[in-house]
Amino acid sequence: MEIFHISAECYPMAKVGGLADVVGALPKYQKNAGNEVRVVVPAYDTKFRKENDFECVHWGTVKLGNFNFPFSVLKECTDKLGYELYLIEINELFNRPNIYGYEDDIERFLSFQIAALDWIIARNKVPDIINCHDHHTGLIPFLLKFAYKYENLKDVKTAITIHNGLYQGWFGFDKLYYLPEFDLKHVGFLEWNNSINSLAVGVKCANAVTTVSPSYLDEINYNANGLESLFNTVRNKSKGILNGIDIEIWNPLKDPMIAANYSIENFEIGKQKNKEKLCEQFDLDPAKPLFSFIGRLFEEKGGDLLPQASALALSEHFEDINILILGSGNSEIESHLIQLRNDYKGNYNVFIGYNEDLAHLIYAGSDYILMPSRVEPCGLNQMYAMRYGTIPIVRRTGGLRDTVIDFGDDGNGICHDQASVADICYSINRAVRLYEDKLNFNKVLKKGMSADHSWESVCQEYIEIYNLIIQQNEI
Ligand code: ADP
């Protein structure tokens, strides 16, 4: 079948978080399974965009109310990603270094969705499936069903994958005129709490809804930033599918971004070399256990708990542990984390920013990865960490609940229930004791390393859903 993934992110073209990793990997495995798979993302001004060749396959003009934006569709020339990558180039809106965070994000992503559909309809070939991802592409299922100009695509089946239900892309009805003309009797599909809510629109209109883990599907019934009742209503067309990881990119045996390659056979030497490099770079002591955090520094990730939890754990175990943090986000959290450097020199460090290479080295060189998340729809860090022989310390929520089992229950990690400083420190205490018991420590570590989180089996679950909705005439 022919599958389109339309998304705001796709690794390696444009990445902020897990959305990019999923959209950069799932299509490859779907293609390997015999499908024609195309990925469409905006043409941001990123490193990948600058360093690779693209050919223009289509051009046109996006009409957004009274605005007209010329656009081109660029195809990545080499096909080296394992699927066809297409960029929607709208210079005025996307020729910028960041992916999100601009005042005109609504206009940017509406134009992106309309341009993508304008191109798809112009190809004169109707795809079988369009898989949308998060709110940035949530209007597509509505537009396909009801916009007059996409009449020829109205039978295309759509799925929307929820990577994070907290962000919903609201905008006022004063911008309704941005949308291509449609029969106004369907306007109710756009509305949620007196606004146009892009995520809600996608959830209402798509033929299938998927979340990135089974537990997250349960959670959004009672914690979805106002959309709980909607998620309840669409439960019969929803499925939670745990994300996989790209085991070709995330492979400690071949990873070019780490200091020494290793496998489960020789992890002790390999990890030690990576740890030494990391500790040298960040003025830490490789003889002590290294606890790391990688991620967006926001409350949803428990980022606000990190400064106090780090300070408390370091005071209690001043001689015993290292803590290293890589991330960016809330400026108050960032400055608290930076301040701690002065108090715990030699045991603590932080890198504020985004750095893909460093993230790989941290997964390889750390003993533990901290994930004190309040919300974690799937979480990829714990899966990458386990593959690199780093034990996850997680709060039981969403996908963390589905992938990490406490070592007390013969599992692969350390778990706690509350998003609190006390719970994090309690888990760190347990981790310090486990680290001293090398036999048990290695047993837990190996459990994680030998787990199979590859996309191969997971990818089939998506195909099953696509087949199911293709067979249905209407929802
Ligand atoms: P989310 O998508 O909610 O941010 P995930 O766990 O699903 O969280 O995915 C996070 C991805 O982003 C992982 O690949 C992680 O390594 C990466 N990442 C997050 N923050 C950084 C950072 N500051 N530098 C490098 N990689 C990062």
Side-chain angles (χ1 to χ4, degrees):
M1 69 178 84
E2 189 190 22
I3 305 161
F4 271 83
H5 287 274
I6 309 186
S7 166
E9 298 180 35
C10 173
Y11 180 82
M13 165 57 199
K15 172 168 169 177
V16 172
L19 169 61
D21 288 353
V22 172
V23 178
L26 171 61
K28 182 161 70 176
Y29 292 86
Q30 289 181 331
K31 185 169 174 205
N32 289 347
N35 302 289
E36 253 183 274
V37 192
R38 308 197 153 83
V39 176
V40 188
V41 295
Y44 314 98
D45 184 25
T46 60
K47 187 163 175 274
F48 184 89
R49 166 76 202 281
K50 288 190 196 107
E51 291 177 356
N52 288 275
D53 293 329
F54 297 86
E55 61 170 309
C56 180
V57 294
H58 179 78
W59 58 88
T61 303
V62 192
K63 189 171 150 19
L64 196 72
N66 304 329
F67 304 103
N68 287 299
F69 299 108
F71 78 93
S72 318
V73 181
L74 310 177
K75 179 176 185 289
E76 196 272 324
C77 289
T78 62
D79 217 4
K80 65 183 170 195
L81 301 173
Y83 49 84
E84 290 183 9
L85 175 70
Y86 294 88
L87 307 184
I88 303 286
E89 181 180 62
I90 310 176
N91 277 328
E92 210 175 316
L93 300 175
F94 289 108
N95 194 16
R96 309 176 190 177
N98 294 333
I99 295 175
Y100 314 117
Y102 298 101
E103 268 184 8
D104 56 353
D105 275 358
I106 289 297
E107 285 75 7
R108 294 169 78 226
F109 289 105
L110 274 178
S111 306
F112 166 61
Q113 294 175 78
I114 296 168
L117 293 186
D118 283 359
W119 164 55
I120 290 174
I121 201 163
R123 296 180 328 141
N124 284 325
K125 180 178 177 220
V126 178
D128 298 293
I129 290 287
I130 295 185
N131 197 149
C132 307
H133 295 268
D134 277 351
H135 73 83
H136 324 97
T137 53
L139 287 169
I140 286 176
F142 174 87
L143 294 175
L144 287 175
K145 266 189 164 63
F146 303 122
Y148 297 126
K149 71 168 169 168
Y150 303 128
E151 170 79 19
N152 288 348
L153 296 176
K154 76 173 184 342
D155 294 329
V156 174
K157 300 296 177 175
T158 51
I160 184 161
T161 301
I162 317 280
H163 300 256
N164 194 331
L166 292 179
Y167 304 97
Q168 299 173 0
W170 301 283
F171 56 101
F173 273 94
D174 55 323
K175 293 186 174 170
L176 182 65
Y177 76 106
Y178 282 168
L179 301 188
E181 241 184 284
F182 63 93
D183 185 341
L184 274 175
K185 75 171 187 252
H186 300 300
V187 74
F189 281 105
L190 298 175
E191 196 267 346
W192 193 263
N193 265 346
N194 301 323
S195 302
I196 299 176
N197 180 314
S198 305
L199 187 67
V201 179
V203 169
K204 288 183 201 178
C205 298
N207 300 93
V209 176
T210 66
T211 61
V212 289
S213 71
S215 284
Y216 191 55
L217 182 61
D218 294 335
E219 273 178 34
I220 53 176
N221 281 285
Y222 56 86
N223 182 13
N225 205 6
L227 296 189
E228 297 78 6
S229 59
L230 176 62
F231 282 118
N232 258 301
T233 314
V234 299
R235 188 73 194 221
N236 62 346
K237 62 168 181 179
S238 308
K239 180 153 193 221
I241 304 177
L242 188 69
N243 280 338
I245 60 173
D246 190 330
I247 52 171
E248 286 168 25
I249 290 176
W250 298 94
N251 181 359
L253 195 55
K254 299 212 172 119
D255 190 335
M257 298 183 220
I258 63 178
N261 293 114
Y262 59 95
S263 70
I264 195 162
E265 311 302 332
N266 62 350
F267 69 89
E268 276 174 295
I269 308 168
K271 283 192 69 70
Q272 186 60 23
K273 283 189 185 148
N274 284 293
K275 187 173 181 181
E276 279 162 13
K277 168 103 185 279
L278 205 52
C279 288
E280 188 190 320
Q281 207 171 324
F282 288 96
D283 186 26
L284 301 168
D285 181 352
K288 299 172 186 169
L290 173 55
F291 295 80
S292 300
F293 172 94
I294 300 173
R296 296 179 292 113
L297 294 171
F298 291 110
E299 278 191 15
E300 70 180 276
K301 294 280 176 193
D304 55 317
L305 304 171
L306 283 176
Q308 215 190 328
S310 303
L312 203 65
L314 285 160
S315 320
E316 271 183 35
H317 296 282
F318 195 64
E319 303 292 325
D320 308 336
I321 66 170
N322 302 293
I323 296 183
L324 176 62
I325 289 168
L326 163 63
S328 63
N330 178 302
S331 53
E332 215 173 298
I333 301 175
E334 287 180 2
S335 61
H336 280 153
L337 290 170
I338 291 169
Q339 274 166 20
L340 284 184
R341 266 200 206 123
N342 304 326
D343 300 334
Y344 300 101
K345 218 169 172 307
N347 288 84
Y348 168 91
N349 217 327
V350 55
F351 182 102
I352 299 295
Y354 185 91
N355 188 322
E356 191 75 22
D357 289 25
L358 178 57
H360 282 243
L361 184 62
I362 292 178
Y363 289 121
S366 303
D367 299 295
Y368 294 103
I369 204 90
L370 293 165
M371 298 188 74
S373 309
R374 288 194 171 77
V375 181
E376 198 62 80
C378 175
L380 295 170
N381 296 16
Q382 79 281 14
M383 295 196 254
Y384 296 148
M386 287 192 275
R387 183 145 166 85
Y388 282 68
T390 296
I391 297 175
I393 299 180
V394 309
R395 172 169 176 254
R396 284 191 189 94
T397 180
L400 298 176
R401 191 187 289 279
D402 294 338
T403 49
V404 184
I405 296 165
D406 192 85
F407 74 94
D409 297 322
D410 204 20
N412 50 10
I414 298 181
C415 305
H416 54 258
D417 285 313
Q418 305 299 322
S420 70
V421 168
D423 269 35
I424 299 171
C425 288
Y426 180 67
S427 285
I428 291 180
N429 285 341
R430 292 181 68 212
V432 170
R433 287 200 299 277
L434 179 65
Y435 185 78
E436 286 158 4
D437 177 1
K438 268 284 163 280
L439 214 64
N440 247 327
F441 177 87
N442 284 347
K443 192 175 135 205
V444 179
L445 177 155
K446 280 187 186 167
K447 268 214 164 96
M449 259 191 121
S450 53
D452 177 10
H453 288 293
S454 75
W455 271 110
E456 248 146 53
S457 50
V458 182
C459 145
Q460 202 44 42
E461 294 191 50
Y462 277 88
I463 304 291
E464 277 164 22
I465 288 184
Y466 299 162
N467 278 326
L468 204 70
I469 58 181
I470 287 171
Q471 284 156 19
Q472 288 165 351
N473 285 333
E474 253 312 314
I475 45 167

